[in-house]
Amino acid sequence: MARPAEATRQNILAHAIDLAARVGLGGLTIGGLAEATGLSKSGLFAHFGSKDTLQVRVLETAGEQFVDAVVRPALRAARGEPRVVELFERWLEWGLGQAAGCVFTAATFELDDQPGPARDALVKLQRDWLDTLAQAARIAVREGHFREDLDAEQFAFELHGLMLVTHESGRLFRDHTSTKRARNGFERLLRDARRPS
């Protein structure tokens, strides 16, 4: 059972992730978060100390949630293509299933040219995710599901690009076909990656 201070901190971070997905990390302020949580500014400041620390903790906590919702469950799938498919499906559900949108996608465009601790934290999270996707593709090669000359980093790059446009299509354009289009694009990636029969 979490201590009261830790439970309060987790509650603050849950509100902060939702707020950051809607207004961006730059729009995430101690004052706005105090209003959303009903806590005092001084109480919030005592938990995080600075806006930079708050932004980094928001990204790290969202990263932990992503691992719990996407990566860990997908690792239970069989090695190779089934695991790649499970990663994709869980990622798709994560990206489009967040009420306020994906905090990582929002932060990607917000922080791309803004050096600082939040950008550094996001870069690490995104690189780790791309490495996870590439490793899953490499394992699919070793399992004989994907062709031996597959460029695993290129596969991860294209899959990531597919998910970014899916997010844009679903959230910005409100295109109800974005999930179907994402699956069609993913199936093409799989067909290109598979070992010839």
Side-chain angles (χ1 to χ4, degrees), residues 18-65:
D18 182 65
L19 198 56
R22 285 188 283 116
V23 301
L25 285 170
L28 184 61
T29 64
I30 297 288
L33 197 50
E35 188 177 318
T37 60
L39 298 169
S40 69
K41 288 182 187 179
S42 60
L44 282 167
F45 192 80
H47 280 281
F48 300 102
S50 72
K51 186 174 179 177
D52 281 346
T53 302
L54 173 62
Q55 289 177 341
V56 169
R57 282 302 296 138
V58 162
L59 290 168
E60 289 172 348
T61 302
E64 292 162 9
Q65 292 173 354

Side-chain angles (χ1 to χ4, degrees), residues 15 17-23 95-103 106 167 171:
H15 279 86
I17 290 168
D18 182 65
L19 198 56
R22 285 188 283 116
V23 301
L96 297 179
Q98 304 295 309
C102 176
V103 69
H167 187 85
R171 304 284 310 180

Side-chain angles (χ1 to χ4, degrees), residues 133-159:
L133 293 173
Q135 180 61 14
R138 283 199 241 11
I139 291 170
V141 170
R142 287 198 295 270
E143 292 293 316
H145 301 155
F146 287 178
R147 55 190 168 79
E148 289 183 12
D149 65 343
L150 179 75
D151 182 337
E153 284 74 22
Q154 182 68 28
F155 180 87
F157 178 90
E158 291 181 29
L159 182 51

Side-chain angles (χ1 to χ4, degrees), residues 8-192:
T8 299
R9 188 179 174 86
Q10 291 306 315
N11 180 49
I12 293 166
L13 286 167
H15 279 86
I17 290 168
D18 182 65
L19 198 56
R22 285 188 283 116
V23 301
L25 285 170
L28 184 61
T29 64
I30 297 288
L33 197 50
E35 188 177 318
T37 60
L39 298 169
S40 69
K41 288 182 187 179
S42 60
L44 282 167
F45 192 80
H47 280 281
F48 300 102
S50 72
K51 186 174 179 177
D52 281 346
T53 302
L54 173 62
Q55 289 177 341
V56 169
R57 282 302 296 138
V58 162
L59 290 168
E60 289 172 348
T61 302
E64 292 162 9
Q65 292 173 354
F66 183 84
V67 168
D68 288 343
V70 177
V71 181
R72 281 197 182 98
L75 291 177
R76 292 194 289 266
R79 292 167 54 90
E81 185 176 324
R83 188 172 293 168
V84 172
V85 170
E86 191 68 15
L87 283 167
F88 167 78
E89 287 294 339
R90 288 184 175 277
W91 187 16
L92 185 63
E93 184 179 322
W94 164 273
L96 297 179
Q98 304 295 309
C102 176
V103 69
F104 306 119
T105 303
T108 293
F109 297 106
E110 180 182 357
L111 299 177
D112 60 352
D113 292 322
Q114 294 184 29
R119 183 184 187 280
D120 295 344
L122 180 64
V123 167
K124 182 185 182 321
L125 287 165
Q126 295 295 70
R127 282 194 175 144
D128 287 350
W129 176 234
L130 285 168
D131 288 346
T132 297
L133 293 173
Q135 180 61 14
R138 283 199 241 11
I139 291 170
V141 170
R142 287 198 295 270
E143 292 293 316
H145 301 155
F146 287 178
R147 55 190 168 79
E148 289 183 12
D149 65 343
L150 179 75
D151 182 337
E153 284 74 22
Q154 182 68 28
F155 180 87
F157 178 90
E158 291 181 29
L159 182 51
H160 194 256
L162 177 63
M163 292 303 284
L164 285 174
V165 75
T166 300
H167 187 85
E168 179 185 56
S169 177
R171 304 284 310 180
L172 180 64
F173 301 147
R174 306 282 190 239
D175 181 354
H176 64 279
T177 68
S178 60
T179 302
K180 180 181 177 189
R181 291 183 184 282
R183 288 195 173 103
N184 289 343
F186 180 59
E187 184 54 41
R188 283 194 194 93
L189 275 178
L190 289 179
R191 280 200 304 269
D192 180 65

